[in-house]
Amino acid sequence: MSLLPPRVVVVSRRSELDELLARHGTRGAAAFFLSRRGRDLDEVTARHEALQDALTRVGAAVPTDWRRGHLERADLPRFLFAREDIVVAVGPDGLVANVAKYLNGQPVIGVDPEPGRNAGVLVRHRPDAVAGLLRDRPAGQSRTMVVARLDDGQELYGLNEIYVGHAGHQSARYILSDQAGARERQSSSGLIAGTGTGATGWCASIAKERASAPPAPAPEEAALCWYVREAWPSPATGVSLVAGVLAGGDELELTSESERLVVFADGVEPDALELSWGQRIRIGVAGRRLNLI
């Protein structure tokens, strides 16, 4: 057991105002850019200030004798989380998903800086609640995650879903094998495998278009739902394996028949795995889970 005091790692993302200033240099130039598109800098500034106020309140809630750190979402792939860390994600619900893939059991507190704008599914708390949560250390909800494993040993985790498809969003060609042993050569817009948490996002939009979509698992259920997007019927490719549920130790196996397929989680395309021709990837329920406070 570590003798060091806990470390609170606050994770946020750059505001739209930060992005505009990085691109245009000054507030005046940013205001002109927005006005040409029918928008107002005041609205963007108000959202920026709401985020900064939330970050200030969260920082003040950390006990003075505890260690602390702060990083932006873009730095997550390069940051090493420690076992004793407590992670506080300040931003939209998707930020919690972005953080989850880099953790292994550390508790996560989702803080909503703009109540009413975010759904609040994963960012459940207001900034003023953080002090009590750090003090009382309530038990979290264990949420299922999804993992993709390449045949060369590389792994990728996701909280919402994992996507496998062509790097340029063209037709992906591959052989799909399901948990029952059925195999089919396919050409499609890619495959999505999602958890119960992700079943309200990308998977939900796919399921609404399908009368025979499998029921979505609960967020804490050790199961995944999966869908093939726009499978193309041809003499060489089939459309019979297009949706299903993976439970427990079940896995999908996909063998690439394209020069370059990509695998990314929760919409973070820069942090992706790649498959070349003949490489295989297996997708299933991950052993690690999100500990959401």
Side-chain angles (χ1 to χ4, degrees):
M1 181 179 296
S2 174
L3 298 179
L4 293 172
R7 180 175 67 169
V8 176
V9 180
V10 178
V11 182
S12 62
R13 55 187 295 181
R14 294 210 298 180
S15 68
E16 187 178 5
L17 179 61
D18 289 330
E19 299 284 358
L20 286 167
L21 292 177
R23 179 178 178 183
H24 299 286
T26 67
R27 285 178 176 263
F32 176 75
F33 173 80
L34 290 173
S35 67
R36 296 290 298 271
R37 287 156 175 76
R39 298 186 62 197
D40 193 295
L41 185 64
D42 290 342
E43 178 259 336
V44 174
T45 301
R47 294 187 60 200
H48 172 82
E49 291 175 348
L51 175 60
Q52 295 305 310
D53 179 68
L55 290 171
T56 299
R57 291 173 181 269
V58 168
V62 180
T64 56
D65 58 337
W66 286 21
R67 297 173 298 146
R68 62 183 70 200
H70 183 198
L71 71 151
E72 293 184 349
R73 182 182 66 169
D75 297 322
L76 283 168
R78 298 180 293 274
F79 188 82
L80 182 61
F81 288 95
R83 182 176 300 178
E84 68 274 10
D85 285 346
I86 301 172
V87 181
V88 182
V90 183
D93 289 290
L95 185 60
V96 174
N98 297 152
V99 173
K101 59 189 293 185
Y102 301 104
L103 302 178
N104 191 6
Q106 294 93 335
V108 179
I109 300 172
V111 175
D112 188 353
E114 299 180 86
R117 187 179 183 88
N118 299 307
V121 176
L122 300 175
V123 287
R124 301 172 168 181
H125 305 288
R126 304 292 183 263
D128 292 339
V130 173
L133 294 171
L134 294 177
R135 180 187 64 245
D136 299 335
R137 310 275 193 97
Q141 180 190 36
S142 179
R143 292 203 169 205
T144 297
M145 297 183 67
V146 54
V147 61
R149 295 185 173 92
L150 275 176
D151 54 9
D152 63 5
Q154 295 184 79
E155 294 183 340
L156 183 69
Y157 290 84
L159 175 64
N160 286 336
E161 71 276 314
I162 277 178
Y163 166 83
V164 184
H166 194 279
H169 297 281
Q170 302 174 33
S171 294
R173 292 183 174 272
Y174 53 86
I175 298 174
L176 181 66
S177 303
D178 69 7
Q179 66 273 23
R183 287 167 56 87
E184 185 172 68
R185 177 172 281 107
Q186 295 185 341
S187 175
S188 76
S189 298
L191 181 143
I192 305 290
T195 66
T197 299
T200 60
W202 198 354
C203 288
S205 64
I206 299 174
K208 286 179 181 178
E209 299 177 352
R210 306 191 181 191
S212 59
E220 68 280 0
E221 186 180 353
L224 307 174
C225 52
W226 61 271
Y227 307 93
V228 174
R229 301 170 63 217
E230 302 168 322
W232 177 254
S234 76
T237 57
V239 294
S240 62
L241 300 180
V242 293
V245 173
L246 298 174
D250 293 342
E251 291 183 320
L252 290 177
E253 182 181 273
L254 185 148
T255 303
S256 175
E257 291 193 334
S258 298
E259 285 300 332
R260 184 183 174 215
L261 299 183
V262 296
V263 186
F264 60 81
D266 301 331
V268 185
E269 292 190 53
D271 186 14
L273 304 179
E274 293 189 7
L275 290 81
S276 59
W277 188 282
Q279 275 197 288
R280 291 172 297 154
I281 190 166
R282 292 179 177 270
I283 300 172
V285 175
R288 66 175 67 170
R289 299 171 69 90
L290 172 67
N291 181 11
L292 183 66
I293 303 299

